[in-house]
Amino acid sequence: MSDRPSPDDGLSAAGLAAKYGLAVSGARPRLVEYVRQLWGRRHFILAFSQAKLTAQYSQAKLGQLWQVATPLLNAAVYFFIFGVILKADRGMPREVYIPFLVTGVFVFTFTQSSVMAGVRAISGNLGLVRALHFPRAALPVSFALQQLQQLLFSMLVLFIVSIGFGSYPKASWLLIVPALALQFLFNTGLALIMARWGSATPDLAQLMPFVMRTWMYASGVMFSIPVMLADKPVWVADVLQWNPAAIYMDLMRFALIDGYGPENLPPHVWAVAGGWAALFAVGGFVYFWQSEERYGRG
Amino acid sequence: MADPIPGAKIPTVIADELHIVYRVNGAKTGKGSATSALSRILRRGESPGVRKVHAVRGVSFVSYRGEAVGLIGSNGSGKSTLLRAIAGLLPAESGHVYTDGQPSLLGVNAALMNDLTGERNVILGGLAMGMSREEIKERYQQIVDFSGINEKGDFITLPMRTYSSGMAARLRFSIAAAKDHDVLMIDEALATGDRSFQKRSEDRIRELRKHAGTVFLVSHNNKSIRDTCDRVLWLERGELRMDGPTEEVLKEYEKFTGK
């Protein structure tokens, strides 16, 4: 075939490609085009996250009931250890402390599991990445979305706990929606960053549980930061309180719990919550995109 | 398929000095102890703990619209790797692949989940291949009928892990073959299942070929290469050993393999 003379004979490969408008296979699209492609895959992202969610408990006898039972058991364990044995409530009344603790656990777990899923989003799905075309960001976003759906089940438990301890539904419960939306953006950004790191260094999956546990204890999941650190320099408590995990927990507690008033929130809390969300969502997305053509190398 | 102007062949895939290298973690022979792993981490740079597999070494070729190209070679010669690189799924170490449109591999196995019902897998697989919800709805019945899953009762509403391996393979093929492609790449052994299903899937591949601009077929079956391809690339140890009309290359290949 190649011995037939043709007008293209003198051309180099690149020249030939340019002449017929061929593009480099697997090249990274521009950022705007990438966003457009990702939006085009929104149905896949949603279906994939839902499929993962259902597949999780499909072998269990109780099936999807575990979606609610798992967070409930989790909350019970933390209550037993920190509420009963260690008495970390530090003078907080019981009807505040228990919803305080449960909210903290659920909200932090949301970020924690998004990070853990993000680390394995690419490295754990190499088969998929090497078989089909789609913007790779679809995977971490899909996993973050799966965690959001998981959290919605936990929210059911949280509502029951709140009502059980005397915090009844009121107008401020509506603040849950923007608080969750901002946290979801933050988590997605974080998952995107983790996915890029995890694809280059799969070992992160072993390391992250320790990092996440440290972060959890430093974010006041089971104690109030200002009360616990009252005798330490002010800046320590400030830094801990401004960290995104603590901010999103505090917002949720403020929205839900009657006895947890605005005096517990750091100043400008919504601005900070929005800032973290915007910074990580945009930064994480761009950071992930920059390496788009390299995902899939073993 | 005739060229628009005789002699003016339109290229669809151009590979230019393509090299593909796999990096495999933890496959280093010799010391695999924790201390040696630690010392590897401490000594940064091109870490010796990673083994490199040079799967494709400097392959160049140009394929044209309307061609059906067969890829042959012994096991591990880099055929599937080359396909993935053409599809843009594996990044090249050096060299380039230029393509017209988006080449696709025929296969969705990786997107399907065994714990989900066949029904949901059809939808998930379709979405993963980039079909729209409407397209899937439109072709859903066709896919199920083609797979023949429901011939022995209502199996499509059961989780895929309950299927026999043959049934699962049939459903996977049916989903994968539901979409039309510009540049289509078929890896061998797709036509699985019983005799009647094999016949049906061969027909379907022929049909897909008609709609596709260029077809790449990886196979160990010289007969199916003869039937479908007019040009053959012979890979051996990642190098392009021969490139030419099917008969010429196959004759040499058969001599090489001692048939």
Side-chain angles (χ1 to χ4, degrees):
Chain A
M1 297 223 114
S2 43
D3 48 18
R4 193 172 2 147
S6 113
D8 299 331
D9 270 355
L11 285 173
S12 68
L16 190 62
K19 180 174 171 186
Y20 288 95
L22 270 59
V24 172
S25 189
R28 168 162 54 115
R30 315 243 333 226
L31 192 56
V32 178
E33 170 65 14
Y34 191 66
V35 172
R36 208 187 53 74
Q37 285 181 6
L38 192 65
W39 177 247
R41 288 307 188 108
R42 62 193 180 280
H43 294 300
F44 170 62
I45 294 175
L46 187 64
F48 192 74
S49 68
Q50 287 169 340
K52 280 273 177 203
L53 196 68
T54 353
Q56 217 173 358
Y57 299 112
S58 72
Q59 302 251 29
K61 283 224 164 66
L62 290 179
Q64 303 305 312
L65 207 57
W66 283 108
Q67 307 275 17
V68 182
T70 313
L72 196 59
L73 289 173
N74 228 332
V77 168
Y78 278 99
F79 168 68
F80 179 68
I81 294 177
F82 291 96
V84 179
I85 299 181
L86 293 178
K87 301 222 185 312
D89 49 5
R90 296 287 173 103
M92 231 188 273
R94 167 161 289 221
E95 64 274 14
V96 174
Y97 183 66
I98 293 173
F100 172 95
L101 176 69
V102 176
T103 312
V105 171
F106 288 178
V107 170
F108 191 82
T109 308
F110 180 29
T111 295
Q112 184 178 30
S113 42
S114 300
V115 167
M116 292 311 299
V119 171
R120 311 198 115 269
I122 301 292
S123 61
N125 290 286
L126 275 183
L128 194 53
V129 171
R130 286 188 186 156
L132 291 169
H133 272 284
F134 53 85
R136 303 315 185 196
L139 284 175
V141 171
S142 183
F143 281 111
L145 199 59
Q146 181 199 344
Q147 299 310 326
L148 178 66
Q149 294 166 62
Q150 176 81 64
L151 181 77
L152 295 183
F153 284 106
S154 304
M155 291 307 289
L156 278 181
V157 175
L158 189 52
F159 290 157
I160 295 166
V161 171
S162 300
I163 294 169
F165 286 89
S167 296
Y168 295 105
K170 55 186 180 197
S172 75
W173 281 31
L174 289 176
L175 291 176
I176 293 171
V177 178
L180 271 188
L182 290 176
Q183 198 195 353
F184 172 65
L185 282 178
F186 171 77
N187 287 353
T188 308
L190 201 54
L192 284 161
I193 296 170
M194 286 299 153
R196 176 166 169 185
W197 288 352
S199 89
T201 320
D203 309 44
L204 268 185
Q206 268 67 43
L207 186 67
M208 283 320 285
F210 303 103
V211 177
M212 294 310 293
R213 216 176 304 160
T214 313
W215 189 10
M216 178 170 86
Y217 290 122
S219 302
V221 170
M222 47 292 277
F223 54 84
S224 159
I225 294 174
V227 175
M228 199 66 146
L229 298 178
D231 51 343
K232 300 277 189 314
V234 184
W235 66 268
V236 179
D238 276 348
V239 167
L240 293 187
Q241 264 197 307
W242 292 86
N243 101 59
I247 291 275
Y248 294 123
M249 272 188 278
D250 270 347
L251 278 179
M252 185 70 84
R253 287 165 177 159
F254 168 68
L256 266 177
I257 307 167
D258 272 346
Y260 199 80
E263 70 279 3
N264 295 294
L265 299 177
H268 310 298
V269 62
W270 283 101
V272 177
W276 280 123
L279 180 71
F280 273 81
V282 175
F285 187 76
V286 173
Y287 182 70
F288 184 89
W289 162 77
Q290 283 173 336
S291 190
E292 171 76 5
E293 72 275 23
R294 288 197 288 274
Y295 302 121
R297 172 172 282 168
Chain B
M1 263 175 260
D3 293 333
I5 314 153
K9 299 183 293 180
I10 302 170
T12 50
V13 175
I14 303 174
D16 178 21
E17 275 300 310
L18 182 66
H19 287 264
I20 308 281
V21 176
Y22 278 106
R23 286 181 176 72
V24 186
N25 275 322
K28 184 77 180 167
T29 46
K31 281 192 284 180
S33 67
T35 45
S36 65
L38 187 66
S39 70
R40 281 200 298 271
I41 293 166
L42 294 177
R43 272 183 283 127
R44 278 295 274 180
E46 197 55 63
S47 56
V50 180
R51 234 171 98 185
K52 288 190 185 179
V53 179
H54 205 149
V56 171
R57 304 159 188 259
V59 170
S60 301
F61 67 89
V62 180
S63 73
Y64 299 91
R65 177 152 296 159
E67 264 185 336
V69 182
L71 281 167
I72 56 171
S74 45
N75 287 126
S77 56
K79 304 181 296 286
S80 304
T81 307
L82 182 59
L83 273 199
R84 288 198 175 137
I86 295 171
L89 296 164
L90 263 180
E93 182 79 7
S94 68
H96 299 277
V97 182
Y98 304 93
T99 58
D100 176 24
Q102 181 60 74
S104 346
L105 279 178
L106 188 56
V108 282
N109 306 5
L112 306 184
M113 295 180 202
N114 271 329
D115 285 328
L116 297 183
T117 61
E119 203 173 8
R120 283 190 71 175
N121 269 313
V122 172
I123 298 170
L124 187 62
L127 287 172
M129 290 190 300
M131 290 163 77
S132 69
R133 277 196 181 280
E134 293 72 41
E135 271 178 282
I136 297 170
K137 210 175 278 172
E138 207 174 285
R139 301 203 182 169
Y140 175 79
Q141 203 48 48
Q142 217 177 312
I143 295 171
V144 175
D145 290 346
F146 185 88
S147 71
I149 291 287
N150 272 354
E151 279 163 15
K152 297 207 172 57
D154 186 21
F155 277 102
I156 199 76
T157 52
L158 284 179
M160 247 176 96
R161 69 181 128 84
T162 62
Y163 292 9
S164 74
S165 52
M167 276 165 75
R170 285 161 68 153
L171 185 61
R172 284 197 288 266
F173 177 84
S174 311
I175 299 172
K179 193 173 180 262
D180 297 322
H181 308 270
D182 299 338
V183 176
L184 179 65
M185 295 182 276
I186 304 168
D187 209 333
E188 62 201 348
L190 263 167
T192 44
D194 51 31
R195 193 79 207 109
S196 72
F197 188 74
Q198 269 176 26
K199 178 118 189 49
R200 248 189 300 171
S201 47
E202 275 163 23
D203 291 345
R204 178 66 188 146
I205 289 182
R206 212 160 296 140
E207 206 177 303
L208 282 171
R209 269 202 51 195
K210 253 186 271 165
H211 295 290
T214 308
V215 179
F216 287 88
L217 175 70
V218 167
S219 180
H220 284 291
N221 183 347
N222 292 354
K223 186 178 171 298
S224 76
I225 295 264
R226 272 199 181 90
D227 285 350
T228 44
C229 303
D230 28 53
R231 174 181 173 191
V232 171
L233 304 180
W234 175 12
L235 284 175
E236 211 56 66
R237 291 168 187 269
E239 280 160 11
L240 189 58
R241 198 170 161 126
M242 216 176 156
D243 170 8
T246 306
E247 265 320 307
E248 270 176 44
V249 181
L250 277 184
K251 218 161 78 190
E252 286 300 311
Y253 181 63
E254 277 162 5
K255 213 185 287 170
F256 175 80
T257 51
K259 260 191 232 167

